[in-house]
Amino acid sequence: MNKTNRELILAFESSCDETSVAVIENGNKILSNVIATQINSQRRFGGVVPEVASRHHIEQVTICLADALERAKVDYQDLNAVAVTYGPGLVGALLVGVTAAKTVAFAHDLPLVPVNHMAGHIYAARFAGEIKFPALALLVSGGHTELVYLKEPNSYQIIGETRDDAAGEAYDKVGRVLGIDYPAGKKIDELAHQGHDTFKFPRAMLKDDNFDFSFSGLKSAFINTMHHADQVQQQLNQADLAASFQQSVIDVLVAKTMHALRQYPVKQLILAGGVAANTGLRTALGDAMEKYHPTVTLLKAPLSLCGDNAAMIGAAAHVAFQAGERADLTLNADPSLEFDWIK
């Protein structure tokens, strides 16, 4: 094990359809971040097939491991710990990463640090700047839409979450109706900038006195609009459809976040998760912060780290490692893992 002042963590991420291994120095420097994506394989199914994802992880994990160590120019004896996503995610996919991490930790007598995938997304912002506490995180990904209050490092409190579809799920479902290949988020974002909000889709729970989200009604309204147009043989403008859908999502996300900031005084707002790469959301949130909460800084996860990757797991693991969190070789995948309410 590395005995120097330089902390090196080897991190594994395999929760969905990216196999990734990274080496992170002191929680904020990426020495390597190898990502093997399955998008081309999964695209033909219109989404992620768990069994296919698991097989790809098995094929790629040892290749990514060797590549990550080589790119970082380190060996096992240089490491301080091994970290791994153990949930939430697809159980078979998670198991590949967990098994690989446990094997490395056992073979080289290294501490094993368990990491919540969603904590990883939050700490991806660490590579854009220092996180200042207390902080609030708007976490927007394919499977999760949450507002998380961070009182201090390694502390997570969910104050609001989606009651049905996550924002990313809604994007992919709407994309299928529009005939856009999976994953649809980036293409809908690009299309939205060419259109206008002419359809005025619903903004669910916008005025409710809570921090929860709902996108199922928006998805249904969009699909019903498309089906009705098909029945009457009406041609709808795709750019306007995309713009109307995206504006509804953004309005709800921004309004709920502003509401939370009024009740939770924080130093910083963190924007993270796959949908955090959406240019419309990044711009709208920045404008709202400047207008309503100018004293709160906005820290956005780098675009290259909004998707699933092991670097973010290594950043979150640094905080957990410093807090003394360890797992033994009984660590198992937890596909429904959630943050503790207060830690």
Side-chain angles (χ1 to χ4, degrees):
M1 184 191 298
N2 174 22
K3 301 293 186 181
T4 69
N5 291 328
R6 188 171 74 144
E7 178 202 270
L8 297 179
I9 293 181
L10 177 69
F12 290 82
E13 157 61 32
S14 66
S15 63
C16 191
D17 59 344
E18 268 88 26
T19 312
S20 184
V21 183
V23 178
I24 304 302
E25 180 179 341
N26 298 332
N28 60 6
K29 183 177 179 181
I30 300 174
L31 300 187
S32 63
N33 187 30
V34 179
I35 304 171
T37 183
Q38 302 176 19
I39 287 178
N40 290 334
S41 295
Q42 302 287 359
R43 182 171 285 141
R44 66 184 185 271
F45 303 114
V48 179
V49 177
E51 292 82 0
V52 174
S54 299
R55 286 199 296 272
H56 276 284
H57 287 307
I58 292 169
E59 294 168 358
Q60 294 294 329
V61 68
T62 53
I63 298 171
C64 291
L65 171 59
D67 200 6
L69 292 171
E70 182 178 350
R71 292 188 191 186
K73 295 181 171 56
V74 300
D75 207 340
Y76 293 109
Q77 65 264 23
D78 300 315
L79 302 174
N80 293 91
V82 180
V84 64
T85 300
Y86 74 108
L90 304 174
V91 63
L94 288 166
L95 281 169
V96 177
V98 169
T99 302
K102 289 198 296 186
T103 301
V104 172
F106 174 76
H108 300 280
D109 194 25
L110 289 165
L112 180 63
V113 183
V115 176
N116 184 313
H117 178 75
M118 308 317 294
H121 273 303
I122 292 173
Y123 275 93
R126 184 66 184 84
F127 297 111
E130 183 182 357
I131 295 178
K132 299 175 182 178
F133 300 92
L136 182 73
L138 173 60
L139 196 50
V140 202
S141 70
H144 295 79
T145 301
E146 300 171 344
L147 280 164
V148 184
Y149 177 67
L150 293 82
K151 182 180 179 181
E152 57 192 5
N154 208 41
S155 170
Y156 311 93
Q157 179 185 355
I158 296 176
I159 63 170
E161 59 188 337
T162 184
R163 297 186 179 180
D164 40 60
D165 287 2
E169 287 177 299
Y171 267 91
D172 285 333
K173 290 174 181 177
V174 162
R176 281 198 288 272
V177 178
L178 285 173
I180 296 173
D181 287 341
Y182 167 87
K186 183 178 180 181
K187 293 179 183 177
I188 290 178
D189 185 25
E190 292 171 352
L191 195 59
H193 284 79
Q194 303 168 30
H196 303 280
D197 180 15
T198 59
F199 291 91
K200 304 298 179 184
F201 290 124
R203 274 76 166 156
M205 303 175 66
L206 198 60
K207 296 181 179 179
D208 292 7
D209 189 21
N210 58 47
F211 312 120
D212 289 343
F213 306 90
S214 172
F215 297 106
S216 181
L218 167 61
K219 176 200 66 181
S220 298
F222 186 96
I223 292 172
N224 290 339
T225 298
M226 292 285 288
H227 285 173
H228 175 72
D230 287 343
Q231 289 169 357
V232 299
Q233 297 183 325
Q234 179 185 6
Q235 190 71 32
L236 301 179
N237 184 296
Q238 277 211 333
D240 287 347
L241 283 165
S244 300
F245 165 76
Q246 176 154 297
Q247 195 59 55
S248 176
V249 173
I250 289 173
D251 284 352
V252 171
L253 290 173
V254 172
K256 289 287 187 175
T257 303
M258 295 304 107
H259 180 36
L261 286 171
R262 287 192 292 272
Q263 296 195 30
Y264 285 82
V266 296
K267 295 180 180 178
Q268 197 170 64
L269 173 67
I270 299 167
L271 175 62
V275 184
N278 183 283
T279 57
L281 176 60
R282 290 171 88 91
T283 300
L285 196 59
D287 291 344
M289 291 292 291
E290 189 175 329
K291 182 177 180 180
Y292 298 110
H293 300 281
T295 61
V296 180
T297 59
L298 175 60
L299 186 64
K300 296 176 282 191
L303 285 171
S304 61
L305 299 177
C306 285
D308 293 348
N309 65 89
M312 69 184 194
I313 303 305
H318 164 74
V319 178
F321 184 61
Q322 294 295 320
E325 289 199 18
R326 304 288 187 272
D328 59 27
L329 296 180
T330 64
L331 180 68
N332 203 355
D334 187 347
S336 302
L337 181 67
E338 296 182 358
F339 286 129
D340 295 333
W341 276 96
I342 296 180
K343 198 170 186 181

